[in-house]
Structures are given as structure tokens and as C-alpha cells.
Coordinates of all heavy atoms in Angstrom, one line a residue:
I214 N 0.3 35.6 -5.9 CA -1.1 35.3 -6.2 C -2.0 35.5 -5.0 O -3.1 36.1 -5.2 CB -1.2 33.9 -6.7 CG1 -0.6 33.7 -8.1 CG2 -2.7 33.4 -6.8 CD1 -0.6 32.3 -8.6
E215 N -1.6 35.1 -3.9 CA -2.5 35.2 -2.7 C -2.5 36.5 -2.0 O -3.4 36.9 -1.3 CB -2.1 34.1 -1.7 CG -2.3 32.7 -2.2 CD -2.4 31.7 -1.1 OE1 -1.6 31.8 -0.1 OE2 -3.2 30.7 -1.1
N216 N -1.4 37.3 -2.2 CA -1.3 38.6 -1.4 C -1.5 39.8 -2.3 O -1.6 40.9 -1.7 CB 0.1 38.7 -0.8 CG 0.2 37.7 0.4 OD1 -0.4 37.9 1.5 ND2 1.0 36.6 0.2
S217 N -1.6 39.7 -3.6 CA -1.8 40.9 -4.4 C -3.3 41.3 -4.3 O -4.1 40.6 -3.7 CB -1.4 40.6 -5.9 OG 0.0 40.4 -6.0
Q218 N -3.6 42.4 -5.0 CA -4.9 43.1 -4.7 C -6.1 42.3 -5.2 O -7.1 42.2 -4.6 CB -4.9 44.4 -5.4 CG -6.1 45.3 -5.0 CD -5.9 46.7 -5.6 OE1 -5.2 47.0 -6.5 NE2 -6.7 47.6 -5.0
L219 N -6.0 41.7 -6.4 CA -7.1 40.9 -6.9 C -7.3 39.6 -6.1 O -6.3 39.0 -5.8 CB -6.9 40.6 -8.4 CG -6.9 41.8 -9.4 CD1 -6.5 41.4 -10.8 CD2 -8.2 42.4 -9.3
L220 N -8.5 39.3 -5.8 CA -8.8 38.2 -4.9 C -8.8 36.8 -5.6 O -9.6 36.5 -6.5 CB -10.2 38.4 -4.3 CG -10.7 37.4 -3.3 CD1 -9.7 37.3 -2.1 CD2 -12.1 37.7 -2.7
N221 N -7.8 36.0 -5.1 CA -7.6 34.7 -5.6 C -7.4 33.7 -4.5 O -6.8 34.1 -3.4 CB -6.4 34.6 -6.6 CG -6.5 35.4 -7.8 OD1 -7.1 34.9 -8.8 ND2 -6.1 36.6 -7.8
K222 N -7.8 32.5 -4.6 CA -7.6 31.5 -3.6 C -7.0 30.2 -4.3 O -7.5 29.7 -5.2 CB -8.9 31.1 -2.9 CG -8.8 30.1 -1.9 CD -10.1 29.8 -1.2 CE -10.0 28.7 -0.2 NZ -11.3 28.3 0.4
I223 N -5.9 29.8 -3.7 CA -5.2 28.6 -4.2 C -5.6 27.4 -3.4 O -5.7 27.4 -2.2 CB -3.7 28.8 -4.1 CG1 -3.2 29.8 -5.1 CG2 -2.9 27.5 -4.3 CD1 -1.7 30.1 -5.1
R224 N -5.9 26.3 -4.1 CA -6.3 25.0 -3.5 C -5.5 23.9 -4.0 O -5.0 23.9 -5.2 CB -7.8 24.7 -3.7 CG -8.8 25.7 -3.2 CD -10.2 25.3 -3.4 NE -10.6 25.3 -4.8 CZ -10.7 24.3 -5.6 NH1 -10.5 23.1 -5.1 NH2 -11.0 24.4 -6.9
E225 N -5.3 22.8 -3.2 CA -4.7 21.6 -3.7 C -3.3 21.8 -4.3 O -3.0 21.3 -5.4 CB -5.6 20.8 -4.6 CG -6.9 20.5 -4.1 CD -7.9 19.8 -5.1 OE1 -7.3 19.3 -6.1 OE2 -9.1 19.8 -4.9
L226 N -2.5 22.6 -3.6 CA -1.1 22.9 -4.1 C -0.2 21.7 -3.9 O -0.2 21.0 -2.9 CB -0.5 24.1 -3.3 CG 0.9 24.4 -3.6 CD1 1.1 24.9 -5.0 CD2 1.4 25.5 -2.6
S227 N 0.5 21.4 -5.0 CA 1.4 20.2 -5.0 C 2.8 20.7 -5.5 O 2.8 21.3 -6.6 CB 0.9 19.1 -5.8 OG 1.8 18.0 -5.9
I228 N 3.9 20.4 -4.8 CA 5.2 20.8 -5.2 C 6.1 19.5 -5.1 O 6.1 18.9 -4.0 CB 5.8 22.0 -4.5 CG1 5.0 23.2 -4.7 CG2 7.2 22.2 -4.9 CD1 5.4 24.4 -3.9
A229 N 6.9 19.2 -6.1 CA 7.8 18.0 -6.0 C 9.0 18.3 -6.8 O 9.1 19.1 -7.7 CB 7.1 16.8 -6.6
P230 N 10.2 17.7 -6.4 CA 11.4 17.9 -7.1 C 11.3 17.5 -8.5 O 10.6 16.5 -8.9 CB 12.4 16.9 -6.3 CG 11.8 16.7 -5.0 CD 10.3 16.8 -5.2
A231 N 12.0 18.2 -9.4 CA 11.9 17.9 -10.8 C 12.7 16.7 -11.2 O 12.5 16.2 -12.3 CB 12.4 19.1 -11.6
G232 N 13.6 16.2 -10.3 CA 14.3 15.0 -10.6 C 15.6 15.2 -11.4 O 16.1 14.2 -11.9
N233 N 16.0 16.4 -11.5 CA 17.2 16.7 -12.2 C 18.4 17.0 -11.2 O 18.4 17.9 -10.4 CB 17.0 18.0 -13.0 CG 18.2 18.3 -14.0 OD1 19.3 17.8 -13.8 ND2 17.9 19.1 -15.0
D234 N 19.4 16.1 -11.3 CA 20.5 16.1 -10.3 C 21.3 17.4 -10.5 O 22.0 17.9 -9.6 CB 21.4 14.9 -10.5 CG 20.7 13.6 -10.0 OD1 19.7 13.8 -9.2 OD2 21.1 12.5 -10.4
E235 N 21.3 18.0 -11.7 CA 22.1 19.2 -12.0 C 21.4 20.4 -11.5 O 22.0 21.4 -11.3 CB 22.5 19.2 -13.5 CG 23.3 18.1 -13.9 CD 23.7 18.2 -15.4 OE1 23.2 19.2 -16.0 OE2 24.4 17.4 -15.9
E236 N 20.1 20.4 -11.5 CA 19.3 21.6 -11.1 C 18.5 21.2 -9.9 O 17.3 20.9 -9.9 CB 18.4 22.0 -12.2 CG 19.1 22.4 -13.5 CD 19.8 23.7 -13.3 OE1 19.6 24.4 -12.3 OE2 20.7 24.0 -14.1
L237 N 19.1 21.2 -8.7 CA 18.5 20.6 -7.5 C 17.4 21.6 -7.0 O 16.5 21.1 -6.2 CB 19.5 20.4 -6.4 CG 20.6 19.4 -6.7 CD1 21.7 19.4 -5.6 CD2 20.0 18.0 -6.9
D238 N 17.4 22.8 -7.4 CA 16.3 23.8 -6.9 C 15.1 23.8 -7.9 O 14.1 24.5 -7.6 CB 16.9 25.2 -6.8 CG 17.5 25.4 -5.4 OD1 16.9 24.9 -4.5 OD2 18.5 26.1 -5.4
E239 N 15.2 23.0 -8.9 CA 14.0 23.0 -9.9 C 12.9 22.1 -9.3 O 13.2 21.0 -8.8 CB 14.5 22.5 -11.2 CG 15.4 23.4 -12.0 CD 14.8 24.7 -12.3 OE1 13.7 24.7 -12.9 OE2 15.4 25.8 -12.1
V240 N 11.7 22.5 -9.4 CA 10.5 21.8 -8.9 C 9.4 21.8 -9.9 O 9.3 22.7 -10.7 CB 10.1 22.3 -7.5 CG1 11.1 22.1 -6.4 CG2 9.6 23.8 -7.6
N241 N 8.6 20.8 -9.8 CA 7.3 20.8 -10.5 C 6.2 21.2 -9.6 O 6.3 20.8 -8.4 CB 7.0 19.4 -11.1 CG 8.0 19.0 -12.1 OD1 8.5 19.8 -12.9 ND2 8.4 17.7 -12.2

């Protein structure tokens, strides 16, 4: 999103674990 040609700006990014013990790489 940030590096492709069309100009976009991301604000207030939030990432948190999904809370699933079986899928530890899953995030919200």
C-alpha cells in the first residue's frame, strides 16, 4: 500500500495477536 505507485498514506496502524493458540502467526 505504501510503496506502490498510487499515493496512499497509512495512519493509526494497530496489530494484535488473534488469540488463537493453534495459529500463532494470525493477527488482527
Side-chain angles (χ1 to χ4, degrees):
I214 290 176
E215 292 200 322
N216 290 286
S217 293
Q218 190 174 17
L219 292 174
L220 182 56
N221 295 275
K222 179 180 179 181
I223 291 178
R224 299 182 291 105
E225 302 178 20
L226 174 63
S227 173
I228 298 179
N233 187 343
D234 291 340
E235 295 181 357
E236 300 292 342
L237 298 176
D238 272 323
E239 294 294 313
V240 295
N241 296 323

